[in-house]
Amino acid sequence: MEQEIDCQMQSNSSYMLWASTCAIAASVVLLASCSVFQPVIDVVPVGSLQQGVVFYLGDTFRQHQEFTITAVTVVEEQSDCSTRATWILEGGQEGGQRLRYVTYGAKYPDLKEGQRPLRLKRGKRYEVFVYTSTGAKPVDVFAFRVDENGSVRQVPKLVF
């Protein structure tokens, strides 16, 4: 009787191992397929107040990816923790523009300015919302700070 129980437990244990392995394999395939078909936008701010601020748009899994940008909003964090928009681009008649990077304050034929760019300030923190129709998510948010030298430094986005 005891041997029969041991065999039954071994059989259940083998089945659980097999089922767990299949579940993990299926999850890996599902996640890999999502990342293959849907770009994952990685936005990197570079530059300075003196030479211009550029937001490079990259794909975590591919190089030289273009994205259809439908809107960009840059907001400045105020001392009372509120924000104010410093630049807004919105999709024009074509609904967006394919880009590899966005230059702060630049004009794009398929995007219209919802708000003209205000001057970026040293010591201030900014959040940038990049809206796209080609990414895995409809909006990607990142943050940067302009240091005392006027250089742009990426900072963690605050989540509330």
Side-chain angles (χ1 to χ4, degrees):
M1 176 85 157
E2 192 174 303
Q3 187 177 6
E4 187 177 315
I5 292 173
D6 284 345
C7 288
Q8 181 67 26
M9 296 212 27
Q10 275 185 334
S11 176
N12 285 343
S13 178
S14 295
Y15 174 76
M16 289 303 291
L17 178 63
W18 175 81
S20 296
T21 302
C22 287
I24 291 170
S27 297
V28 167
V29 168
L30 180 64
L31 289 173
S33 68
C34 289
S35 66
V36 167
F37 298 116
Q38 289 294 328
V40 178
I41 298 177
D42 181 32
V43 183
V44 179
V46 297
S48 66
L49 297 180
Q50 298 83 0
Q51 294 159 349
V53 176
V54 178
F55 311 127
Y56 282 98
L57 312 171
D59 185 334
T60 304
F61 299 106
R62 296 178 205 80
Q63 291 182 334
H64 308 296
Q65 178 76 20
E66 282 189 339
F67 298 94
T68 301
I69 304 302
T70 57
V72 177
T73 300
V74 180
V75 298
E76 178 185 275
E77 187 178 276
Q78 303 296 298
S79 58
D80 64 357
C81 294
S82 66
T83 59
R84 75 173 180 146
T86 60
W87 187 45
I88 299 173
L89 287 178
E90 300 166 325
Q93 290 181 345
E94 300 299 316
Q97 182 153 349
R98 298 211 30 97
L99 297 169
R100 289 188 180 162
Y101 61 88
V102 176
T103 302
Y104 184 83
K107 295 190 184 297
Y108 296 93
D110 293 330
L111 295 169
K112 63 180 180 130
E113 277 187 345
Q115 177 175 323
R116 294 179 53 157
L118 301 177
R119 189 174 63 84
L120 299 175
K121 300 175 187 168
R122 296 173 197 269
K124 289 287 191 172
R125 183 182 180 283
Y126 296 88
E127 282 194 350
V128 181
F129 298 81
V130 178
Y131 298 85
T132 177
S133 63
T134 49
K137 308 181 288 188
V139 64
D140 288 275
V141 182
F142 68 97
F144 70 93
R145 180 177 297 281
V146 179
D147 69 16
E148 294 306 316
N149 296 324
S151 297
V152 171
R153 303 281 181 236
Q154 189 162 6
V155 296
K157 179 180 74 75
L158 299 178
V159 178
F160 296 100

